[in-house]
Amino acid sequence: MKKLINCLIVIFITSPVFTQTIPETIDELLKAYSKQYAFNGFGIGCTKRKYFITKGYGYKNISTHSFNSEKTIFQVGSITKQFTAAIILQLQEKNKLSVKDNLSKYISDYPNGEKITIENLLTHTSGIFNYTNDETFMKTASGKPISPEHLIDLFKNKPLNFQPGEKYNYSNSNYVLLGYIIEKITGRSYFDVVRENIFQPLHMDHSGFDFKGLVSPDKAIGYLRLTAKTSQPAAIFDSSVAYAAGALYTTVDDLYKWDRGLYGNEILSDASIGQAFRPHLSNYGYGWIIDTVYGKKVVMHDGGIFGFESFIARVPADETCIIYLITINAEVLQKSPKISMRFLTINLMNFPW
């Protein structure tokens, strides 16, 4: 497999020398992954509303021999965080909160809450323990419903890893707290607030949160193990456990609607977009990783949850968007698809469309 990947990378780099286009080379690469049962998913790329690749690969459900398409519904894990951050910024626009507010303003008894700001939570600079690092909980209880209060209890009394603002450390606990703050301010469930303020305006009609309870012929199966002879479906996270840090399910088309909705102030003002895309420690903004590729600003994020992996990258300057939604085959190629997706994305961004 490693030789195959290296060979395809060489083809990719040299493809402009031949007649093959970058999209054609991507298609070859993903077909090769699919034949190895290492890529099951859907890829989409577009610039200024012009698609240059949109195609499904592999099985949506191998037991029914159904294949991925633009209608396939995937879990996207931490891509959820950019939606949570958007709601926080919407509340700030309405003067319901400030990202400079201390956590103690919303959870009065939270340890060190007077030192931790909402911005620390957004940028993973709070020092708060990451609850998904609790292996016992993840193995025994991640599929069971839990209240936000009990979820917070999992990490509330853990010592800080560092003083707020001093360092960066990715922690899903930060976005659990943001979801809880959203509920306290609005008096409604986090899921309903996102649905009403983002999904409905953008007509993201195939997006939601309760993937475990979703009944749809378009629902993908996530796999921990998938070969020509055997398959092992992944367990499904309960949406209340992933919560505001990773519960979202969606389709490539709905994520593209999200991308387009970030232009034209339909969801957020230019000022809020500027805040979200401003890098802090380790180049993390508000639910986005900020980088520069070939002199262009890129905002992106990965997502991972049992059996699924996702990736979205945006170049606001030329309105390029690249999305990959994948059902992971951990046994064959757990890490390489992610690395290759980043590799493909960087090259797509430099292609002269």
Side-chain angles (χ1 to χ4, degrees):
M1 179 57 68
K2 186 175 180 181
K3 290 181 179 179
L4 170 64
I5 295 167
N6 290 339
C7 178
L8 288 169
I9 288 173
V10 170
I11 292 172
F12 195 106
I13 292 171
T14 59
S15 63
V17 177
F18 304 103
T19 59
Q20 203 171 36
T21 66
I22 293 290
E24 288 171 339
T25 310
I26 292 171
D27 186 40
E28 285 195 6
L29 175 61
L30 297 186
K31 281 180 180 176
Y33 278 136
S34 181
K35 288 178 181 178
Q36 295 291 325
Y37 294 89
F39 184 95
N40 288 279
F42 202 96
I44 182 173
C46 53
T47 181
K48 295 184 179 178
R49 305 192 183 194
K50 178 183 177 182
Y51 289 98
F52 48 80
I53 183 169
T54 172
K55 192 170 183 179
Y57 301 84
Y59 292 101
K60 172 179 63 182
N61 185 334
I62 195 169
S63 65
T64 61
H65 290 88
S66 55
F67 295 92
N68 284 306
S69 72
E70 71 279 358
K71 295 181 179 180
T72 305
I73 300 170
F74 300 81
Q75 286 190 285
V76 295
S78 286
I79 286 179
T80 306
K81 291 179 172 66
Q82 55 204 243
F83 291 83
T84 303
I87 296 296
I88 290 290
L89 287 166
Q90 286 181 350
L91 291 172
Q92 180 174 251
E93 290 178 358
K94 297 173 183 176
N95 297 315
K96 301 288 187 180
L97 59 73
S98 166
V99 297
K100 301 301 182 183
D101 287 344
N102 291 326
L103 176 57
S104 57
K105 182 175 180 178
Y106 304 97
I107 308 177
S108 59
D109 64 341
Y110 197 93
N112 297 298
E114 73 285 352
K115 300 179 182 179
I116 300 167
T117 66
I118 290 178
E119 187 168 72
N120 289 144
L121 301 176
L122 288 164
T123 59
H124 297 293
T125 56
S126 68
I128 294 173
F129 173 78
N130 181 11
Y131 78 100
T132 58
N133 287 345
D134 184 335
E135 293 185 6
T136 300
F137 172 76
M138 295 298 288
K139 288 178 180 179
T140 61
S142 61
K144 303 173 184 176
I146 189 172
S147 69
E149 292 83 2
H150 285 109
L151 194 58
I152 291 170
D153 284 342
L154 291 174
F155 56 83
K156 182 176 181 179
N157 294 307
K158 299 276 188 182
L160 293 177
N161 292 323
F162 49 82
Q163 288 302 303
E166 285 187 354
K167 298 179 182 179
Y168 165 90
N169 186 52
Y170 193 90
S171 173
N172 289 295
S173 303
N174 292 314
Y175 277 76
V176 167
L177 290 167
L178 290 170
Y180 186 67
I181 289 170
I182 289 167
E183 294 197 354
K184 292 204 72 172
I185 291 174
T186 63
R188 305 180 62 206
S189 82
Y190 162 80
F191 301 128
D192 287 343
V193 173
V194 176
R195 191 174 292 111
E196 181 178 313
N197 291 279
I198 298 179
F199 295 167
Q200 290 178 6
L202 297 181
H203 303 287
M204 295 175 63
D205 301 327
H206 305 287
S207 300
F209 296 99
D210 184 14
F211 193 72
K212 190 174 182 180
L214 177 66
V215 178
S216 170
D218 297 318
K219 179 178 177 179
I221 302 296
Y223 293 98
L224 294 179
R225 187 168 184 266
L226 182 61
T227 68
K229 296 181 179 180
T230 186
S231 63
Q232 181 186 350
I236 300 178
F237 247 68
D238 191 87
S239 59
S240 63
V241 175
Y243 191 44
L248 177 67
Y249 68 74
T250 189
T251 64
V252 289
D253 187 55
D254 272 12
L255 268 187
Y256 178 59
K257 291 177 181 178
W258 164 240
D259 164 67
R260 298 309 308 173
L262 292 173
Y263 299 105
N265 308 130
E266 189 171 358
I267 297 298
L268 293 170
S269 67
D270 288 340
S272 291
I273 289 287
Q275 276 191 287
F277 295 168
R278 185 178 303 130
H280 292 257
L281 296 179
S282 293
N283 290 327
Y284 202 92
Y286 294 179
W288 295 91
I289 300 164
I290 293 88
D291 204 348
T292 301
V293 177
Y294 298 114
K296 298 177 182 179
K297 186 174 187 176
V298 181
V299 294
M300 56 189 161
H301 211 288
D302 302 299
I305 196 165
F306 294 168
F308 292 88
E309 191 160 327
S310 58
F311 181 65
I312 181 171
R314 305 177 68 247
V315 185
D318 56 18
E319 299 187 19
T320 298
C321 180
I322 297 163
I323 299 165
Y324 296 101
L325 303 182
I326 305 166
T327 55
I328 300 173
N329 180 5
E331 181 182 87
V332 178
L333 201 61
Q334 184 169 3
K335 295 182 179 179
S336 294
K338 184 173 181 179
I339 294 169
S340 296
M341 294 308 101
R342 287 179 177 267
F343 175 83
L344 294 174
T345 298
I346 289 170
N347 280 275
L348 280 170
M349 288 172 182
N350 196 45
F351 192 70
W353 306 104

